[in-house]
Amino acid sequence: EAGVAQSPRYKIIEKRQSVAFWCNPISGHATLYWYQQILGQGPKLLIQFQNNGVVDDSQLPKDRFSAERLKGVDSTLKIQPAKLEDSAVYLCASSKDSGVSGDTQYFGPGTRLTVL
Amino acid sequence: SQQGEEDPQALSIQEGENATMNCSYKTSINNLQWYRQNSGRGLVHLILIRSNEREKHSGRLRVTLDTSKKSSSLLITASRAADTASYFCATVRSSNTGKLIFGQGTTLQVKP
């Protein structure tokens, strides 16, 4: 079974530029998550989708971050414009069920973003 | 906001020794999960323990949960150099969407 795919693996941009990350979850997984992991910290959930609907985006900085999951499969996360404090690893994860019971999440390798 | 706090923040042991990491949390939970993250790699799920369980085993891993103290521990027995990684506990609160709330992690170094 193929795992969660993410691209690109690394991205370096200057502040105020825009950037987009892509995620393809495990086939058949209903729930998709985007996390932000700042160096030395644990991941923080940015947004959770169930199929193509948003379940939780309470910690997404909506003035600059946006995400979509078209057709309930793959997803993109965009930052526009980027700030220095957005430097982090962006992790995508998926789980089989609706996520309410806290099922096991499977993580992709992440995208390391550096904002200069 | 971070829910869990891991202790210690860093741990260094010799190969063959046991490693114990602790996690404390603040609110009632549905379950608690432990993840491992190797340098440059994504997170890997290790074990899930539900709020009505007290202990779980998986290979060389043993997890305990004490809901009265709001704490959990992860024991790795007979550690190997390959166990070198950061270990995170993550909780799922009793009443939410099932999202994971991670702690800060414990960095484990196993010396050959």
Side-chain angles (χ1 to χ4, degrees):
Chain A
E1 179 181 72
V4 176
Q6 288 188 248
S7 67
R9 291 295 309 277
Y10 304 92
K11 190 74 178 179
I12 301 173
I13 62 173
E14 297 196 348
K15 60 183 179 182
R16 291 188 288 273
Q17 286 186 325
S18 62
V19 64
F21 312 126
W22 175 81
C23 171
N24 192 4
I26 293 174
S27 177
H29 279 197
T31 308
L32 184 147
Y33 313 79
W34 282 103
Y35 290 86
Q36 179 193 58
Q37 185 177 21
I38 293 172
L39 186 64
Q41 298 182 17
K44 180 185 79 172
L45 181 72
L46 293 176
I47 190 166
Q48 176 182 344
F49 292 95
Q50 182 183 343
N51 297 312
N52 60 349
V54 175
V55 175
D56 187 334
D57 63 357
S58 57
Q59 297 195 85
L60 186 74
K62 298 180 186 65
D63 58 334
R64 298 183 300 105
F65 286 64
S66 64
E68 59 182 9
R69 189 184 184 195
L70 300 175
K71 301 180 182 178
V73 182
D74 55 354
S75 174
T76 56
L77 175 70
K78 297 178 182 178
I79 307 175
Q80 182 180 8
K83 292 185 176 181
L84 295 177
E85 58 260 36
D86 297 332
S87 293
V89 175
Y90 291 84
L91 296 164
C92 179
S94 68
S95 64
K96 187 181 297 185
D97 70 356
S98 64
V100 173
S101 61
D103 198 12
T104 299
Q105 295 183 22
Y106 298 87
F107 284 79
T111 296
R112 183 176 298 276
L113 173 67
T114 302
V115 182
L116 303 175
Chain B
S1 62
Q2 301 287 350
Q3 156 86 314
E5 291 184 7
E6 280 97 334
D7 171 56
Q9 289 190 342
L11 181 61
S12 182
I13 60 175
Q14 294 293 134
E15 212 167 21
E17 295 181 338
N18 296 341
T20 300
M21 289 159 264
N22 303 296
C23 169
S24 61
Y25 57 92
K26 298 173 185 174
T27 63
S28 296
I29 60 171
N30 179 295
N31 66 67
L32 184 146
Q33 304 178 29
W34 285 90
Y35 285 80
R36 180 185 69 216
Q37 186 173 41
N38 296 99
S39 176
R41 296 185 59 185
L43 285 151
V44 174
H45 179 263
L46 295 176
I47 198 163
L48 181 154
I49 186 165
R50 303 195 183 279
S51 59
N52 61 352
E53 297 175 311
R54 291 296 167 259
E55 188 171 312
K56 246 183 151 174
H57 296 256
S58 176
R60 294 183 296 112
L61 305 180
R62 173 178 169 255
V63 169
T64 61
L65 179 64
D66 187 336
T67 53
S68 66
K69 295 181 179 178
K70 292 186 169 60
S71 67
S72 173
S73 67
L74 170 67
L75 169 67
I76 305 173
T77 59
S79 63
R80 304 167 183 168
D83 295 328
T84 294
S86 292
Y87 291 81
F88 295 90
C89 70
T91 55
V92 176
R93 292 180 180 171
S94 297
S95 55
N96 76 351
T97 56
K99 75 180 183 182
L100 290 171
I101 302 177
F102 284 84
Q104 303 274 36
T106 292
T107 300
L108 172 66
Q109 182 185 29
V110 181
K111 299 175 184 175

mmCIF file of all heavy atoms in Angstrom, chain A residues 36-44 85-90:
data_model
loop_
_atom_site.group_PDB
_atom_site.id
_atom_site.type_symbol
_atom_site.label_atom_id
_atom_site.label_comp_id
_atom_site.label_asym_id
_atom_site.label_seq_id
_atom_site.Cartn_x
_atom_site.Cartn_y
_atom_site.Cartn_z
ATOM 1 N N GLN A 36 1.511 21.839 10.935
ATOM 2 C CA GLN A 36 2.708 22.663 10.877
ATOM 3 C C GLN A 36 3.605 22.253 12.039
ATOM 4 O O GLN A 36 3.145 22.202 13.188
ATOM 5 C CB GLN A 36 2.354 24.146 10.995
ATOM 6 C CG GLN A 36 3.560 25.084 10.969
ATOM 7 C CD GLN A 36 3.188 26.489 11.400
ATOM 8 O OE1 GLN A 36 2.688 26.703 12.507
ATOM 9 N NE2 GLN A 36 3.402 27.459 10.520
ATOM 10 N N GLN A 37 4.868 21.942 11.739
ATOM 11 C CA GLN A 37 5.803 21.575 12.800
ATOM 12 C C GLN A 37 6.996 22.521 12.767
ATOM 13 O O GLN A 37 7.840 22.445 11.876
ATOM 14 C CB GLN A 37 6.276 20.127 12.679
ATOM 15 C CG GLN A 37 7.150 19.684 13.841
ATOM 16 C CD GLN A 37 7.551 18.225 13.763
ATOM 17 O OE1 GLN A 37 7.528 17.605 12.706
ATOM 18 N NE2 GLN A 37 7.917 17.658 14.907
ATOM 19 N N ILE A 38 7.039 23.388 13.746
ATOM 20 C CA ILE A 38 8.164 24.305 13.895
ATOM 21 C C ILE A 38 9.291 23.564 14.597
ATOM 22 O O ILE A 38 9.042 22.714 15.463
ATOM 23 C CB ILE A 38 7.732 25.555 14.676
ATOM 24 C CG1 ILE A 38 6.728 26.358 13.826
ATOM 25 C CG2 ILE A 38 8.924 26.413 15.060
ATOM 26 C CD1 ILE A 38 6.084 27.510 14.536
ATOM 27 N N LEU A 39 10.515 23.888 14.233
ATOM 28 C CA LEU A 39 11.687 23.195 14.767
ATOM 29 C C LEU A 39 11.655 23.127 16.288
ATOM 30 O O LEU A 39 11.479 24.147 16.965
ATOM 31 C CB LEU A 39 12.948 23.904 14.294
ATOM 32 C CG LEU A 39 14.281 23.227 14.641
ATOM 33 C CD1 LEU A 39 14.372 21.880 13.928
ATOM 34 C CD2 LEU A 39 15.449 24.116 14.249
ATOM 35 N N GLY A 40 11.808 21.925 16.823
ATOM 36 C CA GLY A 40 11.856 21.747 18.270
ATOM 37 C C GLY A 40 10.500 21.604 18.932
ATOM 38 O O GLY A 40 10.420 21.477 20.160
ATOM 39 N N GLN A 41 9.435 21.615 18.129
ATOM 40 C CA GLN A 41 8.093 21.497 18.685
ATOM 41 C C GLN A 41 7.359 20.306 18.084
ATOM 42 O O GLN A 41 7.793 19.731 17.076
ATOM 43 C CB GLN A 41 7.298 22.782 18.410
ATOM 44 C CG GLN A 41 7.893 24.023 19.050
ATOM 45 C CD GLN A 41 7.038 25.256 18.791
ATOM 46 O OE1 GLN A 41 5.875 25.157 18.422
ATOM 47 N NE2 GLN A 41 7.607 26.422 19.006
ATOM 48 N N GLY A 42 6.254 19.965 18.698
ATOM 49 C CA GLY A 42 5.398 18.943 18.123
ATOM 50 C C GLY A 42 4.528 19.535 17.028
ATOM 51 O O GLY A 42 4.353 20.749 16.948
ATOM 52 N N PRO A 43 3.999 18.699 16.154
ATOM 53 C CA PRO A 43 3.127 19.204 15.093
ATOM 54 C C PRO A 43 1.870 19.869 15.647
ATOM 55 O O PRO A 43 1.344 19.443 16.684
ATOM 56 C CB PRO A 43 2.757 17.934 14.309
ATOM 57 C CG PRO A 43 3.805 16.933 14.673
ATOM 58 C CD PRO A 43 4.184 17.248 16.084
ATOM 59 N N LYS A 44 1.395 20.879 14.935
ATOM 60 C CA LYS A 44 0.165 21.562 15.286
ATOM 61 C C LYS A 44 -0.797 21.462 14.119
ATOM 62 O O LYS A 44 -0.443 21.789 12.990
ATOM 63 C CB LYS A 44 0.456 23.036 15.613
ATOM 64 C CG LYS A 44 -0.776 23.839 16.006
ATOM 65 C CD LYS A 44 -0.446 25.310 16.192
ATOM 66 C CE LYS A 44 -0.346 26.034 14.871
ATOM 67 N NZ LYS A 44 -0.210 27.499 15.031
ATOM 68 N N GLU A 85 8.044 33.668 10.102
ATOM 69 C CA GLU A 85 7.634 32.680 11.103
ATOM 70 C C GLU A 85 6.914 31.480 10.505
ATOM 71 O O GLU A 85 6.558 30.541 11.228
ATOM 72 C CB GLU A 85 6.739 33.337 12.171
ATOM 73 C CG GLU A 85 5.487 33.985 11.625
ATOM 74 C CD GLU A 85 5.639 35.496 11.478
ATOM 75 O OE1 GLU A 85 6.753 35.943 11.134
ATOM 76 O OE2 GLU A 85 4.640 36.200 11.718
ATOM 77 N N ASP A 86 6.702 31.484 9.192
ATOM 78 C CA ASP A 86 6.093 30.329 8.544
ATOM 79 C C ASP A 86 7.117 29.244 8.239
ATOM 80 O O ASP A 86 6.745 28.151 7.787
ATOM 81 C CB ASP A 86 5.407 30.745 7.237
ATOM 82 C CG ASP A 86 4.270 31.722 7.460
ATOM 83 O OD1 ASP A 86 3.656 31.693 8.555
ATOM 84 O OD2 ASP A 86 4.005 32.534 6.550
ATOM 85 N N SER A 87 8.387 29.528 8.482
ATOM 86 C CA SER A 87 9.421 28.513 8.286
ATOM 87 C C SER A 87 9.137 27.336 9.205
ATOM 88 O O SER A 87 9.088 27.480 10.430
ATOM 89 C CB SER A 87 10.804 29.096 8.587
ATOM 90 O OG SER A 87 11.168 30.080 7.643
ATOM 91 N N ALA A 88 8.960 26.174 8.611
ATOM 92 C CA ALA A 88 8.536 24.991 9.361
ATOM 93 C C ALA A 88 8.487 23.804 8.408
ATOM 94 O O ALA A 88 8.683 23.948 7.204
ATOM 95 C CB ALA A 88 7.161 25.210 9.989
ATOM 96 N N VAL A 89 8.182 22.650 8.977
ATOM 97 C CA VAL A 89 7.864 21.476 8.155
ATOM 98 C C VAL A 89 6.357 21.343 8.123
ATOM 99 O O VAL A 89 5.694 21.398 9.169
ATOM 100 C CB VAL A 89 8.502 20.193 8.722
ATOM 101 C CG1 VAL A 89 8.063 18.977 7.913
ATOM 102 C CG2 VAL A 89 10.025 20.305 8.716
ATOM 103 N N TYR A 90 5.812 21.176 6.941
ATOM 104 C CA TYR A 90 4.368 21.015 6.766
ATOM 105 C C TYR A 90 4.092 19.550 6.468
ATOM 106 O O TYR A 90 4.549 19.008 5.464
ATOM 107 C CB TYR A 90 3.852 21.949 5.676
ATOM 108 C CG TYR A 90 3.935 23.388 6.147
ATOM 109 C CD1 TYR A 90 5.123 24.100 6.031
ATOM 110 C CD2 TYR A 90 2.855 23.991 6.785
ATOM 111 C CE1 TYR A 90 5.230 25.400 6.521
ATOM 112 C CE2 TYR A 90 2.952 25.281 7.276
ATOM 113 C CZ TYR A 90 4.149 25.979 7.147
ATOM 114 O OH TYR A 90 4.256 27.254 7.648
#
